[in-house]
Every structure is written in structure tokens, then in C-alpha cells.
């Protein structure tokens, strides 16, 4: 049976993948207490009786976390429910001292959205657990420490329908979701620090079958690459099991990046029964329609809308508009440069070209670029006015990036201004024409490539500072039939 896979026109099996994504919300304090929700800090310094789960401590909901969760849900096209309920998810783990996690179960905050064609089942709010840190590899030497700084950091869990049909599609969706949350400002997108985490439910079925196969849950997929690799492996594994006449077992599996495969963590029989019930310490979350309207009104223009506006308003090509809306910071930078007077297409060229190259080279972020949008506009204005040639502008840009000075200040201090004076350039042109008889003769004979050589000679004589447009004009004039010097050279040539 395996011989048919990938060989025939249609594949005998197709995967169905759904994702569960946990995203930290970027609130200052935790979801049920006033402790800092910031990442890092010495272990167990952002803690209090509430997030340590001490007996008698009572949670109080952070409304800023609800606002962020509503904002994310709206961006995903979900329906926000006016009333939702916090529930206790009961299980034991050393990093969960009160033996339950406060989450939402039967009545989540939001349901029924869509992102890029993938249906969003639900968005619910919950608290994060602490973190176990393991040390040592030998049993006698093994230690585990627990850091509760992360305990109580607000999370949203975003659950999709099993609408994804390949590992690549799943990775693309995760990337798009990340970009959306970062754009909204509700999540920092930092997967290494664990502020965005992804689990995947994956099953395979005969292509065209209306029912889904038995699914396995794959955990620990904290990069786009891991997600794609793990799913590729897991899909192939399940197809092999079925092709050999076996059946896929419902279980939780872990991605082992070192071994490049998924391994069984626990079967359905060992799965937790979380015994959810409404948390008696917390009232229902009530989100008024007026508050939803306020949040909706305060939401940033989302990437797709902004891209279309860049095309319509600034007459940018689709490609440029797409590049400039890769992040909100990039799009903001572009619009600030345009607001400071830069022609849009020239600003786009500089941002996607020199600035992007420099930021990549230096590992910098555009929001902290030493060349601000206003200063970039200043540089572009000098090129537009003919003060700087294109190649001089690139040099000046390098200096701006390194020295935190304006283009005008650099031009002034270093006497970099382009030679644009007609009589000065005409003198250089005349000299070059007189001393390059062969090239002039070639041009007269129709070999236009020699023209570029002469331009180069004039530029060399001007030490790179002459306005190339002006050189072109004056050289053409000098070689024209009405000019006596050309006539002389021409006669000599024949
Ligand atoms: Zn606390």
C-alpha cells in the first residue's frame, strides 16, 4: 500500500491538523494578582500568596488581561460572549502548587472565528503555571528546581478546527497567527522564552473520507521549524501504521528535536481527567458591549488593510506594500518617512534596500534605527535636490547609521556636496573629450558603449562628486554635431 503514496497522481491518505496555541498576554501584572508578569528576574522574585497558591489567598481578575484577550479574539473574527466562566482544571504537578489551573472550559470568552481560511474554534483565558528546571543527568545527581515567576502570567489559548492539510500549511498558519498577535501588541512572539507555544492534533484518513482518523496530540513545538518537522514525521508515522494494517492510538506524543521524531508520552488510558468545575473564588467575566466597541475602535489597522491602503494611497507596487507591512514597526517607519516629506516609492526603496541590509547586518530593530524616518527623509531630499548622487547618498547613509548625525550635517562637515555647477562640469567634459580621441571616434562610428566610458572619466576627474545627470547632458551636448571640438576630433578621426 505504501507504494502508492506520493507516486500516483492522488495520495491515498491525507492529514488533518488542528493547533492549540498558548500566548502570553503582555500585561504589566499577572492575571489574578499584582505581581510583575515580566519574563526573567531572579527565580521566585515575582511571587505572592496568590500566585504561590497559598491557602486562603484569593484571586482578583486583571481587567487589562481581559481587554487583551478581547482584542485578540476580535482580530481573529470571533464572537465575544458577554458572560464567560473561569473553571478549575485539576491536576498535580510540582510547578502548580494549588493543584489546579484556573482556565475556562464550558463557557470560554470567545468562539467561532477565522484566520486565513482556518476556522478558530475558541479563544479562552487562563493562567500559566510555574516552571520546573532540571539539573544533572545521573539519577543520584538529579535535581529539580521550581521557579514561580511564570505562575499566574495571563495566557490565551487559541484552538483551531482540524482544517490544516499539511505540515507546511500548519507552520504557515502558526507564523501568520504569531504576526497577528505581535501586530496587535498583545504578545511579544518570543517562542524561545515560551511566550508563544504550540501543540498540534494530527490524524490521517483515506483521502476523501468524510470522517477524521484517530488523532495524536504532539506537544513541545516551539518553533516554526519544529512544528513542521514534527508534523511531517508524525504524518508519515501514522500513514505507515495504517498501511501496515495497524491502527493509530489516541495518545500524547512529544517532539524530540535531537532524534528528529515524535515519542509517546502517555496513552489515552493514562490521560488526565481534569474534573473541571466553575471556580467558586471568581465571578463570571462580564464583557459589556460598550467595552467591546471601545476596544474595537482602538484596534490598529491590520496588515492586510494597511497593505491595500499603501497601494491605494501611496501608489506602491503590491510587492513593496507587502514587504513594508511585515511588521507594524516597519509600516510605521515607512509612513513616518512619508509624513516627513519623502516620496513614497523612494522611501520604500531605501527602507527595503540600504536600511534593511544595515539592520540585518547589525542585528538591530527598525524601531531603534539610528537613522530615524525623519532623517531618512532628509537624506532623500538631498538626493532629490541634486546635492547628493546616488552613490554619495549611500556613503552618507552609512555615516548617518554609525554617527547619529543628519545627512545635512554630514554633507556640511565633510564638504560632500555634489558638483552641479554647469561651467565647472563643462570644463571637465571638454578636457575628457579632448584627451580621449579614440572613444569619441567610436561614438561617432555608432559604438554607444564608449559613452559610458567617457561619463566614467568625467566622474573620475570630479572625484565622484559630479551630478551624473548633468555629466550626461553636457557630454551629449559636447558630442553633438553643433560643437566645434567634436568636429575637430571627428575630422582628425577620418
Ligand atoms: Zn502574585
Amino acid at each position: 500500500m505504501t507504494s502508492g503514496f506520493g507516486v500516483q497522481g492522488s495520495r491515498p491518505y491525507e492529514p488533518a491538523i488542528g493547533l492549540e496555541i498558548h500566548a502570553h498576554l503582555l500585561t504589566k501584572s499577572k492575571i489574578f494578582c499584582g505581581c510583575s508578569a515580566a519574563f526573567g528576574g531572579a527565580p521566585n522574585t515575582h511571587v505572592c500568596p496568590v500566585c504561590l497558591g497559598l491557602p486562603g489567598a484569593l484571586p482578583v481578575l486583571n481587567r487589562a488581561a481581559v481587554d487583551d484577550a478581547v482584542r485578540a479574539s476580535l482580530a481573529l473574527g470571533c464572537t465575544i460572549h458577554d458572560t464567560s466562566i473561569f473553571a478549575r482544571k485539576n491536576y498535580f504537578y510540582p510547578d502548580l502548587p494549588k493543584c489546579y489551573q484556573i482556565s475556562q472550559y464550558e463557557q470560554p470568552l470567545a468562539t467561532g472565528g477565522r484566520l486565513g481560511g482556518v476556522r478558530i474554534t475558541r479563544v479562552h483565558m487562563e493562567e500559566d503555571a510555574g516552571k520546573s528546571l532540571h539539573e544533572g543527568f545521573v539519577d543520584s545527581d538529579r535535581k529539580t528546581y521550581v521557579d514561580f515567576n511564570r505562575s499566574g502570567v495571563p495566557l490565551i489559548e487559541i484552538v483551531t478546527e482540524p482544517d490544516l492539510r499539511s505540515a507546511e500549511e500548519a507552520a504557515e498558519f502558526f507564523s501568520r497567527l504569531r504576526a497577528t498577535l505581535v501586530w496587535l501588541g498583545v504578545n511579544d512572539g518570543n517562542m524561545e522564552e515560551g511566550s508563544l507555544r504550540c501543540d498540534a492534533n494530527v490524524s490521517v484518513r483515506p483521502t476523501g473520507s468524510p470522517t477524521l482518523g484517530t488523532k495524536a496530540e504532539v506537544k513541545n513545538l516551539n518553533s516554526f521549524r519544529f512544528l513542521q518537522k514534527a508534523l511531517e514525521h508524525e504524518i508519515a508515522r501514522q500513514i505507515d501504521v495504517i498501511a501496515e494494517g495497524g491502527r493509530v492510538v489516541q495518545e500524547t506524543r512529544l517532539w524530540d528535536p535531537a532524534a528528529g521524531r515524535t515519542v509517546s508520552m502517555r496513552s489515552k488510558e493514562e490521560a488526565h481527567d481534569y474534573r473541571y468545575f466553575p471556580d467558586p473564588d471568581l465571578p463570571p467575566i462580564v464583557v459589556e458591549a460598550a467595552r467591546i466597541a471601545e476596544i474595537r475602535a482602538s484596534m490598529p489597522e491590520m496588515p492586510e488593510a494597511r497593505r491595500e491602503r499603501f497601494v491605494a494611497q501611496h501608489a506602491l507596487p503590491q510587492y513593496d506594500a507587502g514587504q513594508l507591512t511585515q511588521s507594524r514597526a516597519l509600516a510605521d517607519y515607512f509612513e513616518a518617512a512619508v509624513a516627513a516629506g519623502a516620496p513614497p516609492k523612494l522611501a520604500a526603496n531605501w527602507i527595503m534596500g540600504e536600511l534593511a541590509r544595515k539592520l540585518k547586518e547589525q542585528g538591530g530593530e527598525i524601531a531603534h534605527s539610528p537613522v530615524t524616518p525623519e532623517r531618512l527623509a532628509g537624506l532623500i531630499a538631498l538626493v532629490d535636490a541634486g546635492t547628493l548622487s546616488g552613490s554619495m547618498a549611500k556613503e552618507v547613509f552609512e555615516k548617518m547609521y554609525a554617527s547619529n548625525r543628519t545627512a545635512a550635517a554630514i554633507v556640511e562637515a565633510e564638504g560632500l556636496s555634489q558638483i552641479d555647477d554647469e561651467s565647472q562640469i563643462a570644463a571637465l567634459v571638454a578636457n575628457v573629450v579632448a584627451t580621449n580621441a579614440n572613444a569619441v571616434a567610436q561614438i561617432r562610428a555608432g559604438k554607444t558603449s564608449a559613452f559610458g566610458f567617457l561619463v566614467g572619466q568625467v566622474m573620475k576627474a570630479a572625484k565622484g562628486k559630479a551630478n551624473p545627470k548633468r555629466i550626461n547632458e553636457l557630454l551629449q551636448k559636447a558630442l553633438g554635431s553643433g560643437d566645434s571640438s567634436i568636429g575637430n576630433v571627428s575630422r582628425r578621426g577620418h
Side-chain angles (χ1 to χ4, degrees):
M1 279 180 81
T2 42
S3 63
F5 183 73
V7 175
Q8 291 167 352
S10 63
R11 293 173 164 203
Y13 298 105
E14 67 170 6
I17 303 158
L19 300 182
E20 292 175 10
I21 289 144
H22 288 87
H24 274 171
L25 299 174
L26 284 174
T27 54
K28 287 193 180 70
S29 53
K30 293 183 177 180
I31 185 169
F32 298 122
C33 62
C35 294
S36 167
F39 177 83
N44 298 308
T45 52
H46 302 168
V47 293
C48 74
V50 172
C51 54
L52 285 173
L54 299 187
L58 286 172
V60 177
L61 179 61
N62 176 356
R63 293 302 303 195
V66 180
D67 286 353
D68 274 358
V70 167
R71 196 166 284 125
S73 303
L74 287 174
L76 297 173
C78 293
T79 303
I80 314 290
H81 298 292
D82 55 6
T83 303
S84 63
I85 305 283
F86 278 117
R88 290 186 179 179
K89 180 180 182 180
N90 298 281
Y91 65 98
F92 170 76
Y93 205 76
D95 62 23
L96 189 72
K98 55 188 191 298
C99 291
Y100 60 84
Q101 179 191 19
I102 303 176
S103 181
Q104 294 191 301
Y105 188 57
E106 283 179 334
Q107 285 181 257
L109 177 77
T111 52
R114 196 177 277 273
L115 179 71
V118 175
R119 290 171 296 160
I120 309 287
T121 316
R122 57 190 271 150
V123 177
H124 71 246
M125 299 185 68
E126 60 187 28
E127 58 177 350
D128 207 348
K131 204 168 166 183
S132 298
L133 304 156
H134 307 284
E135 186 183 279
F137 296 97
V138 188
D139 270 351
S140 60
D141 189 31
R142 194 171 288 168
K143 295 188 181 75
T144 295
Y145 303 89
V146 190
D147 177 7
F148 291 105
N149 284 352
R150 201 179 70 179
S151 171
V153 170
L155 286 174
I156 45 173
E157 180 174 338
I158 300 162
V159 182
T160 79
E161 294 291 311
D163 287 348
L164 297 153
R165 290 291 171 269
S166 71
E168 198 186 350
E169 252 183 61
E172 269 174 28
F173 174 81
F174 186 27
S175 167
R176 186 167 182 169
L177 181 63
R178 176 184 179 275
T180 302
L181 297 175
V182 171
W183 184 284
L184 278 175
V186 300
N187 180 269
D188 65 12
N190 195 327
M191 291 185 269
E192 272 172 32
E193 291 175 0
S195 38
L196 192 65
R197 314 194 287 264
C198 181
D199 302 334
N201 289 305
V202 52
S203 63
V204 298
R205 60 180 165 183
T207 302
S209 163
T211 52
L212 291 169
T214 305
K215 69 182 178 186
E217 185 185 20
V218 187
K219 288 190 169 286
N220 202 18
L221 306 172
N222 300 328
S223 77
F224 303 123
R225 201 169 59 86
F226 283 177
L227 174 65
Q228 185 162 345
K229 293 266 171 235
L231 287 176
E232 280 166 2
H233 173 271
E234 180 59 18
I235 290 162
R237 187 192 69 85
Q238 291 188 14
I239 289 173
D240 280 352
V241 168
I242 296 170
E244 283 162 18
R247 61 180 191 91
V248 174
V249 182
Q250 188 174 340
E251 62 183 346
T252 301
R253 299 179 69 87
L254 276 181
W255 169 242
D256 179 346
R261 62 197 184 95
T262 64
V263 291
S264 181
M265 185 175 127
R266 57 172 181 256
S267 71
K268 193 190 180 189
E269 287 71 36
E270 301 164 74
H272 298 295
D273 173 3
Y274 293 117
R275 295 172 295 119
Y276 283 98
F277 64 87
D279 192 309
D281 289 342
L282 285 158
I285 305 181
V286 176
V287 188
E288 308 280 352
R291 185 70 192 130
I292 296 175
E294 266 175 45
I295 293 171
R296 197 189 287 278
S298 74
M299 280 175 48
E301 186 181 22
M302 296 306 285
E304 266 123 278
R306 203 162 182 187
R307 191 179 64 217
E308 290 315 313
R309 186 167 61 74
F310 280 7
V311 172
Q313 185 183 338
H314 300 306
L316 288 185
Q318 278 285 350
Y319 175 81
D320 295 27
Q323 290 293 307
L324 293 172
T325 49
Q326 292 291 310
S327 78
R328 208 166 138 190
L330 191 57
D332 287 347
Y333 186 101
F334 166 73
E335 290 214 285
V338 171
K345 180 57 183 153
L346 292 180
N349 290 349
W350 275 95
I351 294 167
M352 297 187 302
E354 293 302 301
L355 183 59
R357 184 185 59 75
K358 201 73 195 167
L359 289 169
K360 197 175 170 192
E361 189 182 295
Q362 309 272 315
E365 291 195 24
I366 194 158
H368 306 120
S369 165
V371 179
T372 61
E374 294 73 22
R375 287 182 176 190
L376 182 66
L379 175 65
I380 293 172
L382 289 176
V383 179
D384 230 20
T387 309
L388 290 175
S389 69
S391 59
M392 287 166 84
K394 283 182 184 175
E395 270 179 52
V396 171
F397 177 82
E398 289 284 334
K399 288 177 177 158
M400 289 167 76
Y401 201 97
S403 69
N404 201 24
R405 285 183 294 165
T406 65
I410 292 168
V411 165
E412 166 87 37
E414 308 193 10
L416 281 175
S417 178
Q418 175 171 256
I419 301 168
D420 199 26
D421 180 75
E422 191 160 332
S423 59
Q424 219 176 333
I425 298 174
L428 296 172
V429 165
N431 193 37
V432 164
V433 166
T435 54
N436 289 277
N438 280 344
V440 173
Q442 281 174 12
I443 294 166
R444 301 294 291 184
K447 266 198 178 174
T448 48
S449 59
F451 188 80
F453 169 75
L454 291 185
V455 171
Q457 291 305 106
V458 177
M459 189 57 102
K460 199 172 154 192
K463 297 189 172 62
K465 287 185 180 180
N467 181 347
K469 231 192 277 174
R470 191 75 66 200
I471 298 177
N472 259 286
E473 285 165 18
L474 293 173
L475 194 56
Q476 255 164 20
K477 203 170 149 195
L479 296 173
S481 55
D483 192 286
S484 61
S485 68
I486 297 290
N488 290 337
V489 172
S490 177
R491 270 197 299 279
R492 256 189 311 198
H494 285 285

mmCIF file of all heavy atoms in Angstrom, residues 265-280:
data_model
loop_
_atom_site.group_PDB
_atom_site.id
_atom_site.type_symbol
_atom_site.label_atom_id
_atom_site.label_comp_id
_atom_site.label_asym_id
_atom_site.label_seq_id
_atom_site.Cartn_x
_atom_site.Cartn_y
_atom_site.Cartn_z
ATOM 1 N N MET A 265 4.219 9.881 24.955
ATOM 2 C CA MET A 265 4.370 10.410 26.310
ATOM 3 C C MET A 265 3.364 9.734 27.236
ATOM 4 O O MET A 265 3.688 9.258 28.293
ATOM 5 C CB MET A 265 4.153 11.918 26.269
ATOM 6 C CG MET A 265 4.386 12.625 27.572
ATOM 7 S SD MET A 265 4.238 14.411 27.286
ATOM 8 C CE MET A 265 3.053 14.848 28.521
ATOM 9 N N ARG A 266 2.111 9.706 26.815
ATOM 10 C CA ARG A 266 1.105 8.972 27.587
ATOM 11 C C ARG A 266 -0.063 8.609 26.678
ATOM 12 O O ARG A 266 -0.379 9.319 25.727
ATOM 13 C CB ARG A 266 0.624 9.772 28.800
ATOM 14 C CG ARG A 266 0.056 11.124 28.457
ATOM 15 C CD ARG A 266 -0.576 11.808 29.664
ATOM 16 N NE ARG A 266 -1.098 13.089 29.224
ATOM 17 C CZ ARG A 266 -0.518 14.262 29.469
ATOM 18 N NH1 ARG A 266 0.573 14.336 30.181
ATOM 19 N NH2 ARG A 266 -1.063 15.371 29.017
ATOM 20 N N SER A 267 -0.686 7.454 26.970
ATOM 21 C CA SER A 267 -1.819 6.997 26.160
ATOM 22 C C SER A 267 -3.112 7.583 26.714
ATOM 23 O O SER A 267 -3.114 8.242 27.744
ATOM 24 C CB SER A 267 -1.888 5.476 26.189
ATOM 25 O OG SER A 267 -2.301 5.075 27.481
ATOM 26 N N LYS A 268 -4.198 7.344 26.011
ATOM 27 C CA LYS A 268 -5.496 7.872 26.441
ATOM 28 C C LYS A 268 -5.874 7.322 27.815
ATOM 29 O O LYS A 268 -6.468 8.013 28.639
ATOM 30 C CB LYS A 268 -6.566 7.473 25.408
ATOM 31 C CG LYS A 268 -7.877 8.229 25.605
ATOM 32 C CD LYS A 268 -8.985 7.654 24.735
ATOM 33 C CE LYS A 268 -10.281 8.434 24.947
ATOM 34 N NZ LYS A 268 -11.406 7.769 24.271
ATOM 35 N N GLU A 269 -5.491 6.043 28.051
ATOM 36 C CA GLU A 269 -5.833 5.406 29.330
ATOM 37 C C GLU A 269 -5.176 6.145 30.497
ATOM 38 O O GLU A 269 -5.724 6.234 31.590
ATOM 39 C CB GLU A 269 -5.389 3.932 29.341
ATOM 40 C CG GLU A 269 -6.246 3.005 28.482
ATOM 41 C CD GLU A 269 -6.049 3.237 26.985
ATOM 42 O OE1 GLU A 269 -4.906 3.530 26.579
ATOM 43 O OE2 GLU A 269 -7.029 3.149 26.230
ATOM 44 N N GLU A 270 -3.972 6.699 30.213
ATOM 45 C CA GLU A 270 -3.265 7.409 31.277
ATOM 46 C C GLU A 270 -3.645 8.885 31.301
ATOM 47 O O GLU A 270 -3.157 9.627 32.147
ATOM 48 C CB GLU A 270 -1.750 7.322 31.050
ATOM 49 C CG GLU A 270 -1.179 5.920 31.012
ATOM 50 C CD GLU A 270 0.224 5.938 30.394
ATOM 51 O OE1 GLU A 270 1.140 6.396 31.086
ATOM 52 O OE2 GLU A 270 0.370 5.519 29.242
ATOM 53 N N ALA A 271 -4.477 9.312 30.355
ATOM 54 C CA ALA A 271 -4.783 10.744 30.231
ATOM 55 C C ALA A 271 -5.488 11.235 31.492
ATOM 56 O O ALA A 271 -6.188 10.489 32.172
ATOM 57 C CB ALA A 271 -5.662 10.979 29.020
ATOM 58 N N HIS A 272 -5.274 12.518 31.769
ATOM 59 C CA HIS A 272 -5.870 13.108 32.961
ATOM 60 C C HIS A 272 -7.375 13.266 32.792
ATOM 61 O O HIS A 272 -7.850 13.611 31.730
ATOM 62 C CB HIS A 272 -5.288 14.502 33.203
ATOM 63 C CG HIS A 272 -3.818 14.484 33.459
ATOM 64 N ND1 HIS A 272 -3.280 13.892 34.568
ATOM 65 C CD2 HIS A 272 -2.787 15.004 32.755
ATOM 66 C CE1 HIS A 272 -1.955 14.046 34.526
ATOM 67 N NE2 HIS A 272 -1.628 14.710 33.437
ATOM 68 N N ASP A 273 -8.094 13.044 33.886
ATOM 69 C CA ASP A 273 -9.466 13.517 33.951
ATOM 70 C C ASP A 273 -9.388 14.772 34.808
ATOM 71 O O ASP A 273 -9.124 14.692 36.005
ATOM 72 C CB ASP A 273 -10.366 12.465 34.596
ATOM 73 C CG ASP A 273 -11.771 13.019 34.824
ATOM 74 O OD1 ASP A 273 -12.017 14.180 34.420
ATOM 75 O OD2 ASP A 273 -12.600 12.301 35.397
ATOM 76 N N TYR A 274 -9.542 15.910 34.166
ATOM 77 C CA TYR A 274 -9.271 17.171 34.860
ATOM 78 C C TYR A 274 -10.378 17.603 35.824
ATOM 79 O O TYR A 274 -10.219 18.551 36.568
ATOM 80 C CB TYR A 274 -9.004 18.275 33.842
ATOM 81 C CG TYR A 274 -7.722 18.077 33.057
ATOM 82 C CD1 TYR A 274 -7.745 17.887 31.680
ATOM 83 C CD2 TYR A 274 -6.493 18.096 33.708
ATOM 84 C CE1 TYR A 274 -6.564 17.720 30.962
ATOM 85 C CE2 TYR A 274 -5.311 17.931 32.992
ATOM 86 C CZ TYR A 274 -5.350 17.743 31.623
ATOM 87 O OH TYR A 274 -4.181 17.587 30.921
ATOM 88 N N ARG A 275 -11.509 16.901 35.794
ATOM 89 C CA ARG A 275 -12.630 17.229 36.712
ATOM 90 C C ARG A 275 -12.853 18.745 36.788
ATOM 91 O O ARG A 275 -12.820 19.345 37.850
ATOM 92 C CB ARG A 275 -12.367 16.639 38.110
ATOM 93 C CG ARG A 275 -12.348 15.115 38.108
ATOM 94 C CD ARG A 275 -11.895 14.544 39.428
ATOM 95 N NE ARG A 275 -10.507 14.882 39.698
ATOM 96 C CZ ARG A 275 -10.084 15.592 40.742
ATOM 97 N NH1 ARG A 275 -10.945 16.036 41.640
ATOM 98 N NH2 ARG A 275 -8.806 15.850 40.901
ATOM 99 N N TYR A 276 -13.095 19.323 35.633
ATOM 100 C CA TYR A 276 -13.355 20.775 35.580
ATOM 101 C C TYR A 276 -14.592 21.127 36.404
ATOM 102 O O TYR A 276 -15.587 20.399 36.385
ATOM 103 C CB TYR A 276 -13.657 21.183 34.140
ATOM 104 C CG TYR A 276 -12.455 21.298 33.218
ATOM 105 C CD1 TYR A 276 -12.104 20.248 32.369
ATOM 106 C CD2 TYR A 276 -11.722 22.478 33.161
ATOM 107 C CE1 TYR A 276 -11.026 20.371 31.495
ATOM 108 C CE2 TYR A 276 -10.645 22.605 32.284
ATOM 109 C CZ TYR A 276 -10.307 21.558 31.463
ATOM 110 O OH TYR A 276 -9.253 21.685 30.592
ATOM 111 N N PHE A 277 -14.540 22.235 37.104
ATOM 112 C CA PHE A 277 -15.774 22.816 37.660
ATOM 113 C C PHE A 277 -15.568 24.320 37.817
ATOM 114 O O PHE A 277 -14.431 24.778 37.910
ATOM 115 C CB PHE A 277 -16.163 22.148 38.992
ATOM 116 C CG PHE A 277 -15.172 22.341 40.109
ATOM 117 C CD1 PHE A 277 -15.248 23.474 40.938
ATOM 118 C CD2 PHE A 277 -14.180 21.391 40.363
ATOM 119 C CE1 PHE A 277 -14.337 23.645 41.981
ATOM 120 C CE2 PHE A 277 -13.277 21.560 41.393
ATOM 121 C CZ PHE A 277 -13.348 22.682 42.204
ATOM 122 N N PRO A 278 -16.658 25.096 37.841
ATOM 123 C CA PRO A 278 -16.518 26.554 37.917
ATOM 124 C C PRO A 278 -15.760 26.957 39.175
ATOM 125 O O PRO A 278 -15.994 26.389 40.246
ATOM 126 C CB PRO A 278 -17.967 27.039 37.978
ATOM 127 C CG PRO A 278 -18.756 25.945 37.359
ATOM 128 C CD PRO A 278 -18.056 24.664 37.713
ATOM 129 N N ASP A 279 -14.834 27.918 39.030
ATOM 130 C CA ASP A 279 -14.054 28.350 40.189
ATOM 131 C C ASP A 279 -14.928 29.196 41.102
ATOM 132 O O ASP A 279 -15.397 30.269 40.685
ATOM 133 C CB ASP A 279 -12.830 29.147 39.731
ATOM 134 C CG ASP A 279 -11.864 29.362 40.878
ATOM 135 O OD1 ASP A 279 -12.311 29.827 41.957
ATOM 136 O OD2 ASP A 279 -10.668 29.049 40.725
ATOM 137 N N PRO A 280 -15.138 28.738 42.356
ATOM 138 C CA PRO A 280 -16.043 29.487 43.260
ATOM 139 C C PRO A 280 -15.439 30.805 43.753
ATOM 140 O O PRO A 280 -16.153 31.644 44.293
ATOM 141 C CB PRO A 280 -16.253 28.514 44.421
ATOM 142 C CG PRO A 280 -15.064 27.612 44.405
ATOM 143 C CD PRO A 280 -14.623 27.513 42.979
#
